[in-house]
Amino acid sequence: MKTSGIDFVIYWVDGGDLIYRGLRDAYQNEADEDQLAHFEQSLSDLRFHQANELKYCLRSVVNHAPWYRNIWLVVDNQWPDFLDEARARELRICSLDHSDFFAGSSAKLPTFSSRALTAQLSKCAYSPSHFI
């Protein structure tokens, strides 16, 4: 199948992961008043709750946009349990870690802000090795 130059970028974290939850809790404990004022937009559990939306999003792209080139899955040192390596390669799903977005400035991590990641997307240090 010939593909065009269109890629999909999907931001995903497993909010129920104990390591990830520990990072969020530590960050929340250090958050200042301004950050807490925007609690619901950045730290609320509601933002990180999983209800299989990634599975359905990927299925939708594959079934309804077969012209895509790659699906870039932006993760924080995680990978969805339902997606094995062979299937990811077949579907052209690539992985980008949050650390790829802030190469050389790891002090800015961890981040729980999709806006911060989006702002760095054009500077992201990715390569074909990111294919699963």
Side-chain angles (χ1 to χ4, degrees), residues 99 101-107:
S99 60
F101 288 75
F102 295 97
S105 49
S106 60

Side-chain angles (χ1 to χ4, degrees), residues 15-98:
D17 179 76
L18 295 178
I19 294 171
Y20 189 77
R21 184 155 185 95
L23 285 171
R24 278 187 45 232
D25 289 346
Y27 175 80
Q28 187 173 337
N29 290 337
E30 295 177 12
D32 62 29
E33 222 173 278
D34 184 50
Q35 292 166 322
L36 291 174
H38 301 287
F39 175 81
E40 194 157 331
Q41 290 181 3
S42 57
L43 296 172
S44 171
D45 286 342
L46 296 174
R47 290 198 62 229
F48 303 96
H49 177 73
Q50 299 301 309
N52 291 321
E53 52 272 68
L54 178 62
K55 182 186 293 187
Y56 298 115
C57 179
L58 293 172
R59 186 180 297 165
S60 182
V61 169
V62 170
N63 290 335
H64 302 291
W67 37 261
Y68 73 92
R69 184 174 55 187
N70 297 303
I71 299 171
W72 293 94
L73 189 56
V74 178
V75 298
D76 189 12
N77 201 27
Q78 299 175 324
W79 188 252
D81 292 337
F82 69 86
L83 189 60
D84 66 34
E85 183 177 326
R87 185 71 173 140
R89 282 184 186 272
E90 178 185 331
L91 298 176
R92 299 181 311 277
I93 298 174
C94 314
S95 171
L96 288 172
D97 192 76
H98 289 189

